[in-house]
Amino acid sequence: MKQSVRTRFAPSPTGFLHVGGIRTALFAWLVARQAGGQFILRLEDTDKNREVEGSAEHLIKSLHALGLDYDEGPDKPGPYGPYRQSERLDMYKKWAQKLIEQDRAYADPYTPEEVQRFREQAQKEKKPFLYRNHRPENPLKWDGRQPLRFKSDPKAYQWHDEVMGDLSTGPEVIDDFILIKSDGFPTYNFAHIVDDAEMKITHIIRGQEFLASMPNYLNLYEALELEPPIFATMPHILNEQGNKKLSKRDGVKDILDYVAQGYLPEALRSFIATLGWNDGTTQEVFTTDELIQKFSLDRVGKSGAHFDERRLSWVNGHFIRELPLDILYGKVAGYWPDEATGYDDAYKQQVLGLVQERLKFFAELPELTIFFFKDLPIDLELISGHKQLKKVESEDLKTLLETAEASLAESDFSTTDLTNRLNGLLTITHTKPAVLFSLIRIATTQASASPGLAETMHVLGKEVSMHRIQSQLAALD
Ligand code: GLU
């Protein structure tokens, strides 16, 4: 019987879930969903010193927010639980016992000072420091108070990584490493191998930082008589310039902050999937169904992907434009400026329809729409700082706006009539749209950009528009 695909996301609850972590989760989720298999969440909480309170909940919330549903996890019982490593200590002891019985693990007798001496000695002799050169001759019986160290069997390895290709290393990189620490908790190196085997994981998808340890892991799989699963190593995510690993200093936000700012889960999934993956075409935006269909580990690039927040905004804008207006209206409910309180749904929906084209994330909504809800103070700098308008005499601007006022006063303020009149005004006044329309736009919105002028004035309505034009006229005196 063909083994069903089981992938896992195995974060340590040590704080912030960075975009690299989420990408690993997304890829593991896609591999599982594509194969009709299972996606498992396992919390690797064995390093008590690094644990950050609340981060397990934060991780779970982030996965939910991105729609990366898991089939088994700490809060979703399954056949191979518990799914928190700190609750599986007996299991690691059992596997450790097996290694001890086969003389493949020993109690580490050394103090940190002794190890430091070994290190210095190796340095003096210009030899690499290896624990396996210092195996105790008559090891103590392990009683759990010393670290338990793996007795490696140095040899060369060749293996395949779905992303990195065929890899090989020599015996010199193999060394004895700690399996269980003196605090009774297993190391990641040991625990993940036991857990992946016990949980019947078929694919290990994880970050590049573990690649150097692969030969040691392969050595341990052998000692434990376990068949290694499929490996896929994700390259680092680089900053925008592509010259170093992405870090918090690059201004990258926590994934939940992006969600809170009004980035759509669907857009985040598409953007994150294309950090290092493409389908072999120039397609840049993918629906989640397309991702599930098209994703493949062997099309993940070996070198680092660049994180570019502007591209994320662009992708999000794309998904926002694709949404039917009434659905979008439901989603932006919490993002309107305070001044919009009291305006009815029909009006706000019209406003939203006008800015949908330009909206990149929901938190931009107040900035883009405020003038639909409030008369902004007249800002003469919008004219004095305008490329075209600053060249026109103030008196001429006034005449121009008065001519516009006279024509618009006759309008029924339907979009068609406003469009006709605005175009007619261009002919009558012999001006360019960059002058005339900019002037009317500034007068009616007090903003340097707005949706189409006729559409904007139509939604503002005659009373508000005419009143604002008159205020501008008064200010031009
Ligand atoms: N606990 C490891 C980490 O958070 C997981 C690595 C893995 O996926 O195996 O980095």
Side-chain angles (χ1 to χ4, degrees):
M1 200 183 81
K2 205 169 160 282
Q3 209 181 359
S4 97
V5 166
R6 290 174 59 83
T7 64
R8 75 339 185 243
F9 178 46
S12 305
T14 51
F16 186 76
L17 182 55
H18 58 89
V19 56
I22 269 288
R23 182 185 59 170
T24 302
L26 174 63
F27 286 1
W29 181 82
L30 287 172
V31 169
R33 291 294 167 256
Q34 183 171 64
Q38 284 99 42
F39 173 60
I40 287 104
L41 172 64
R42 181 173 75 222
L43 286 178
E44 305 212 317
D45 58 345
T46 58
D47 192 343
K48 292 291 155 196
N49 298 328
R50 288 180 57 224
E51 199 159 322
V52 172
E53 215 190 298
S55 69
E57 293 71 20
H58 185 86
L59 281 161
I60 289 174
K61 225 167 131 187
S62 305
L63 292 176
H64 286 319
L66 275 200
L68 304 182
D69 55 315
Y70 41 89
D71 305 291
E72 298 160 33
D75 55 350
K76 197 142 192 216
Y80 307 105
Y83 296 91
R84 236 179 241 278
Q85 286 187 327
S86 59
E87 293 168 12
R88 300 172 63 82
L89 300 186
D90 287 348
M91 230 162 305
Y92 309 123
K93 287 233 173 70
K94 188 189 82 191
W95 286 84
Q97 210 50 49
K98 178 174 154 119
L99 289 172
I100 293 170
E101 277 157 25
Q102 292 169 354
D103 191 29
R104 294 302 304 274
Y106 56 90
D108 181 337
Y110 301 116
T111 62
E113 292 74 30
E114 283 168 312
V115 173
Q116 185 54 24
R117 263 211 315 280
F118 295 150
R119 247 181 234 287
E120 284 163 10
Q121 186 192 334
Q123 215 167 23
K124 245 198 287 171
E125 293 168 15
K126 299 210 176 357
K127 283 203 248 155
F129 167 71
L130 290 166
Y131 283 96
R132 61 175 153 88
N133 292 338
H134 302 277
R135 284 180 192 155
E137 270 166 35
N138 296 308
L140 303 164
K141 189 170 156 30
W142 184 59
D143 64 7
R145 278 180 300 181
Q146 314 84 9
L148 184 70
R149 203 173 271 280
F150 177 50
K151 189 171 176 183
S152 63
D153 176 18
K155 56 168 85 163
Y157 280 103
Q158 288 184 338
W159 75 98
H160 181 74
D161 184 291
E162 294 294 301
V163 174
M164 298 295 171
D166 290 320
L167 302 170
S168 59
T169 48
E172 68 284 353
V173 297
I174 305 274
D175 196 10
D176 295 359
F177 58 89
I178 293 182
L179 301 166
I180 297 192
K181 297 171 282 180
S182 53
D183 65 4
F185 283 95
T187 57
Y188 165 77
N189 295 340
F190 180 46
H192 86 275
I193 291 183
V194 167
D195 289 341
D196 286 337
E198 295 263 4
M199 295 180 180
K200 304 215 177 339
I201 299 301
T202 55
H203 297 62
I204 295 190
I205 299 167
R206 68 180 156 204
Q208 199 173 338
E209 57 274 33
F210 300 100
L211 193 58
S213 305
M214 269 302 293
N216 281 314
Y217 299 157
L218 291 172
N219 210 240
L220 182 57
Y221 280 108
E222 265 177 38
L224 294 169
E225 297 169 301
L226 291 172
E227 191 66 39
I230 293 168
F231 297 105
T233 300
M234 298 301 125
H236 290 313
I237 296 182
L238 307 175
N239 64 2
E240 203 184 309
Q241 296 75 32
N243 56 7
K244 55 179 181 40
K245 211 174 124 184
L246 187 72
S247 75
K248 265 202 239 183
R249 264 159 306 186
D250 297 303
V252 183
K253 298 180 201 74
D254 185 276
I255 207 73
L256 286 178
D257 291 340
Y258 285 112
V259 174
Q261 286 213 320
Y263 285 85
L264 297 160
E266 178 107 334
L268 285 164
R269 290 192 292 266
S270 174
F271 171 75
I272 293 168
T274 54
L275 281 175
W277 172 83
N278 65 66
D279 71 341
T281 73
T282 51
Q283 184 170 342
E284 279 203 66
V285 175
F286 296 85
T287 64
T288 301
D289 284 344
E290 283 177 312
L291 290 178
I292 292 176
Q293 213 178 21
K294 298 181 174 189
F295 182 76
S296 80
L297 286 169
D298 60 11
R299 287 213 56 86
V300 176
K302 280 191 196 142
S303 53
H306 297 199
F307 181 89
D308 179 352
E309 197 167 282
R310 276 167 316 190
R311 196 172 77 84
L312 170 58
S313 295
W314 175 81
V315 171
N316 201 51
H318 170 91
F319 279 93
I320 287 178
R321 285 192 293 280
E322 300 270 293
L323 285 177
L325 185 57
D326 55 329
I327 304 280
L328 179 62
Y329 184 68
K331 290 186 189 288
V332 303
Y335 294 88
W336 290 104
D338 292 343
E339 290 78 359
T341 319
Y343 281 85
D344 64 22
D345 289 333
Y347 182 77
K348 287 198 286 186
Q349 192 152 327
Q350 263 186 313
V351 170
L352 184 63
L354 291 186
V355 298
Q356 180 170 12
E357 194 65 30
R358 278 180 43 225
L359 189 63
K360 293 191 294 303
F361 53 93
F362 300 164
E364 280 186 326
L365 202 57
E367 190 191 322
L368 295 182
T369 65
I370 183 71
F371 55 81
F372 285 103
F373 304 105
K374 171 186 179 178
D375 292 339
L376 296 178
I378 305 274
D379 179 1
L380 288 175
E381 278 179 20
L382 287 169
I383 291 178
S384 61
H386 190 279
K387 231 163 105 191
Q388 304 286 337
L389 297 180
K390 69 177 179 197
K391 292 189 245 165
V392 184
E393 292 293 329
S394 168
E395 213 151 295
D396 295 342
L397 286 177
K398 199 165 176 203
T399 314
L400 214 48
L401 197 54
E402 274 166 356
T403 314
E405 185 202 12
S407 170
L408 294 168
E410 303 292 316
S411 177
D412 63 3
F413 265 65
S414 65
T415 311
T416 322
D417 186 63
L418 285 166
T419 308
N420 290 339
R421 279 175 193 275
L422 288 169
N423 288 332
L425 280 164
L426 287 177
T427 322
I428 301 168
T429 59
H430 302 290
T431 45
K432 298 180 286 186
V435 172
L436 181 70
F437 293 176
S438 301
L439 180 62
I440 304 175
R441 180 192 312 283
I442 289 170
T444 50
T445 64
Q446 296 305 319
S448 55
S450 78
L453 184 55
E455 290 80 0
T456 301
M457 287 168 66
H458 167 71
V459 170
L460 285 171
K462 189 164 184 174
E463 201 187 316
V464 172
S465 301
M466 295 314 287
H467 171 73
R468 289 184 182 177
I469 289 174
Q470 281 142 19
S471 307
Q472 181 81 57
L473 278 170
L476 282 175
D477 271 334

